[in-house]
Amino acid sequence: MLAGQALAFLGLTWGTFQSLAIPRITECGLSCSQGFACRSHRNRNIFNSFCRPRPVSMSRSVLEALTSSTAMQCVPSDGCAMLLRVRASITLHERLRGLEACAMSLDTQETQCQSVWVARASHRQQGGQQLQVHFGCFAVSVAQHLYVTLRTIPHFCGVQLDQRHLVEDCREEDVGRSVPDCLAGKLSYWVDRRRKAILVQVPRASGSPDYYVRLCLKRFTCEDAGAPVRVTANSVSQAVSQAVSLPYSQELPCLCLEGWSATPDAVRIQICPFENDTEALELLWDTVYYHPESQTLSWEPACPVSGHVSLCWRPGPGAGCRKLQQSSQLVHRRVQYPLVDTQPQLCLKFSTSWGSWVRCPFEQRRFPTWKMTIQPSPTKGHLRVTFFSSSPAHFQVHLCYRRKSQLPACQRTLQASPLPSASGDPAAAPAFAFLDLPREEACAPGICIQGWRSDVHFSVPQQLCNLRSSGCPALRGRRRPRTRPRPPTAGWAWRALNRRLGGGNGETIRP
């Protein structure tokens, strides 16, 4: 008894498996229920696109059922072709002349239609009876999205059946090994880095259509990165070992190899050789450009990138990159930063799902730059902050109280205006400006002097601390003050605002 149940179960399982496989057919033509006379037309009647009022005696359910399925028709030398089979079930009516079935590709909007006409004697004498119609097969492609409709002839308003149909793709085992289009997924290729080329070998069956291969950059669509190369079936069959060479300029993660059959609406297969290549990923962050005329820093990724980019600055070698305020941008296509200070410490930080990268575009090249120095001032009891710049610029100064675990806490801003050169020609000598600070305030323990350009949108501050060599007296011994040093006040700023700088024509102004 148990053995009989097991055999019955195995038989049921095998029958289910067989029903899930794509059937192979040798012929696919029109057929109707026994006793009915039908004839087929493959040309679409454009007038049937417009509907007419439905007769009162005709039910909306006169179209009972619509089913679609995929089949394969195979030729030993050419492989298998994908076909769509459509079946319909209707109730005959005296005003009904026939049926029209259409299959529209949702990718290309290409439409195929078949019309089936029922003999007048049939729909008059057998009205109210059920008619089964098997339409002729529609030629389809692998992984094609179809919209199948069924209408009456003539087309009565509100009397229509429709459904979506997805043709199996190359992942289905039987399709993958039988349909020529799926051979694209078995492309053999290797990368010749010395010649900067991808060598492709296309396995094709004798008598199969020609084949195209190309390189493209995968963005919203795959954009051409070289002219497509047509591989003919004859050349492949005669010289199987011959490979097609596709040159490239850069190894990018979105550089893909695309192949498709030279048939209408053919499925395209893409292989991206450098998709997970760390060296190719590094190239994305190297396309940073500086435009001297507009002082604009720009970056445009060669491949689609999702994430954030921001400006940051490094206080010193090996230090972390501190983000500049209001510089973060979402990455879409091109990122621009206008009026940027060309300091070596200024960097771009990229944050993506792959990780984080930092690029400092002014680190290795010679760009206009500036320098801040501090030395004793000719005015007694003051230190002089001097800015040297290879081009005219405006600067700001902060006195900052340095903390151990946090960023410096800075006081109000003072601006230093550029001074004209002694010859009166700004191009004759480097521009400079200076500001005198009370030594008592600037030399307090834990105080740093911070300066940066104020005539650009994004500037990297220069910060000088431990000012003993700049005119500040050294503390005697190692004894620390009994009380915690008080942050500098702004009283010295008000005194400096009303006093002309010594040794020049520059003045300090209130921000």
Side-chain angles (χ1 to χ4, degrees):
M1 182 67 180
L2 290 176
Q5 292 179 350
L7 289 174
F9 174 76
L10 288 174
L12 177 62
T13 305
W14 175 251
T16 304
F17 173 78
Q18 289 282 70
S19 66
L20 293 177
I22 299 177
R24 302 195 180 197
I25 58 177
T26 56
E27 296 181 359
C28 188
L30 170 68
S31 65
C32 293
S33 302
Q34 187 175 4
F36 292 90
C38 299
R39 53 191 175 90
S40 174
H41 290 275
R42 286 194 175 267
N43 294 329
R44 185 180 186 185
N45 185 358
I46 189 64
F47 296 104
N48 208 50
S49 300
F50 307 97
C51 69
R52 63 181 65 183
R54 176 175 54 86
V56 178
S57 60
M58 180 181 289
S59 171
R60 289 182 180 272
S61 59
V62 64
L63 299 180
E64 297 181 357
L66 168 66
T67 60
S68 60
S69 60
T70 308
M72 289 194 298
Q73 193 172 36
C74 303
V75 178
S77 59
D78 296 338
C80 297
M82 304 295 290
L83 300 173
L84 176 70
R85 296 193 297 183
V86 177
R87 298 182 179 91
S89 176
I90 65 170
T91 301
L92 287 178
H93 188 274
E94 61 179 4
R95 298 285 300 276
L96 192 148
R97 300 289 180 265
L99 294 175
E100 181 186 64
C102 295
M104 182 182 70
S105 170
L106 296 179
D107 300 319
T108 63
Q109 307 301 309
E110 182 183 357
T111 303
Q112 306 175 62
C113 291
Q114 294 184 30
S115 301
V116 174
W117 295 81
V118 182
R120 290 179 179 270
S122 297
H123 59 73
R124 284 179 179 175
Q125 299 174 3
Q126 301 173 338
Q129 295 188 23
Q130 189 183 66
L131 171 65
Q132 301 283 342
V133 177
H134 291 204
F135 288 86
C137 290
F138 296 87
V140 294
S141 301
V142 175
Q144 193 173 20
H145 292 259
L146 300 169
Y147 182 66
V148 183
T149 58
L150 179 68
R151 293 174 177 173
T152 59
I153 299 177
H155 181 200
F156 295 111
C157 299
V159 182
Q160 176 175 313
L161 295 178
D162 54 70
Q163 64 179 224
R164 291 174 182 264
H165 184 88
L166 176 61
V167 182
E168 288 79 356
D169 58 23
C170 298
R171 291 175 294 182
E172 206 280 332
E173 184 178 359
D174 198 18
V175 176
R177 67 168 179 260
S178 305
V179 179
D181 282 347
C182 292
L183 291 175
K186 302 174 184 177
L187 286 175
S188 299
Y189 75 92
W190 61 96
V191 179
D192 188 340
R193 295 181 184 269
R194 183 180 60 84
R195 294 170 50 199
K196 300 187 73 172
I198 297 178
L199 305 178
V200 189
Q201 201 169 40
V202 185
R204 306 293 290 160
S206 176
S208 59
D210 292 350
Y211 201 77
Y212 285 102
V213 289
R214 69 162 182 165
L215 292 181
C216 58
L217 294 176
K218 191 174 182 180
R219 294 176 177 141
F220 180 74
T221 59
C222 213
E223 302 173 6
D224 277 330
V229 177
R230 183 163 185 157
V231 182
T232 61
N234 292 335
S235 65
V236 174
S237 60
Q238 292 174 4
V240 178
S241 60
Q242 185 178 359
V244 177
S245 178
L246 302 176
Y248 62 86
S249 57
Q250 282 185 307
E251 297 179 3
L252 296 171
C254 60
L255 181 67
C256 299
L257 169 64
E258 189 175 66
W260 70 98
S261 178
T263 56
D265 204 20
V267 63
R268 298 193 177 199
I269 304 298
Q270 292 177 353
I271 305 172
C272 305
F274 310 110
E275 189 172 16
N276 299 314
D277 193 306
T278 55
E279 293 183 4
L281 194 60
E282 289 286 341
L283 292 177
L284 295 181
W285 326 117
D286 292 339
T287 53
V288 179
Y289 301 98
Y290 178 70
H291 309 275
E293 293 183 0
S294 60
Q295 302 182 58
T296 300
L297 191 66
S298 66
W299 172 71
E300 186 170 5
C303 297
V305 176
S306 178
H308 293 78
V309 60
S310 60
L311 292 173
C312 61
W313 63 283
R314 283 175 169 167
C321 209
R322 298 178 180 178
K323 179 181 174 181
L324 291 184
Q325 293 183 354
Q326 299 180 350
S327 68
S328 181
Q329 295 188 36
L330 281 173
V331 176
H332 294 293
R333 288 286 291 176
R334 191 177 187 185
V335 174
Q336 287 187 326
Y337 290 99
L339 295 177
V340 172
D341 187 12
T342 57
Q343 287 294 93
Q345 299 90 349
L346 183 69
C347 305
L348 277 169
K349 184 175 183 179
F350 307 94
S351 301
T352 70
S353 58
W354 298 314
S356 297
W357 289 265
V358 174
R359 291 291 186 270
C360 303
F362 308 115
E363 191 173 30
Q364 303 296 336
R365 304 175 184 177
R366 293 185 178 181
F367 289 93
T369 185
W370 55 271
K371 183 179 180 181
M372 180 179 73
T373 63
I374 300 176
Q375 56 190 351
S377 171
T379 304
K380 187 178 180 180
H382 288 74
L383 293 181
R384 174 161 293 181
V385 182
T386 307
F387 296 92
F388 298 90
S389 175
S390 58
S391 59
H394 295 266
F395 299 93
Q396 289 182 344
V397 176
H398 272 162
L399 279 184
C400 303
Y401 180 66
R402 185 169 57 177
R403 300 175 180 176
K404 292 183 179 181
S405 59
Q406 300 178 6
L407 294 176
C410 301
Q411 303 300 309
R412 69 172 65 233
T413 303
L414 290 178
Q415 293 184 357
S417 298
L419 300 179
S421 61
S423 64
D425 182 7
F432 67 97
F434 59 83
L435 181 69
D436 283 351
L437 305 177
R439 181 181 299 175
E440 179 183 357
E441 303 286 350
C443 294
I447 293 298
C448 297
I449 297 178
Q450 194 178 90
W452 68 94
R453 283 184 63 177
S454 59
D455 58 341
V456 293
H457 292 169
F458 303 98
S459 177
V460 173
Q462 288 192 14
Q463 184 170 283
L464 298 177
C465 305
N466 302 323
L467 304 176
R468 296 179 185 178
S469 60
S470 303
C472 289
L475 294 176
R476 295 181 179 179
R478 297 184 178 179
R479 184 174 54 188
R480 296 182 179 178
R482 294 182 180 179
T483 59
R484 184 177 180 178
R486 180 173 57 89
T489 64
W492 61 271
W494 294 105
R495 294 192 299 272
L497 292 174
N498 300 311
R499 181 169 60 247
R500 185 174 295 275
L501 297 175
N505 296 326
E507 295 182 355
T508 57
I509 60 173
R510 185 178 180 185

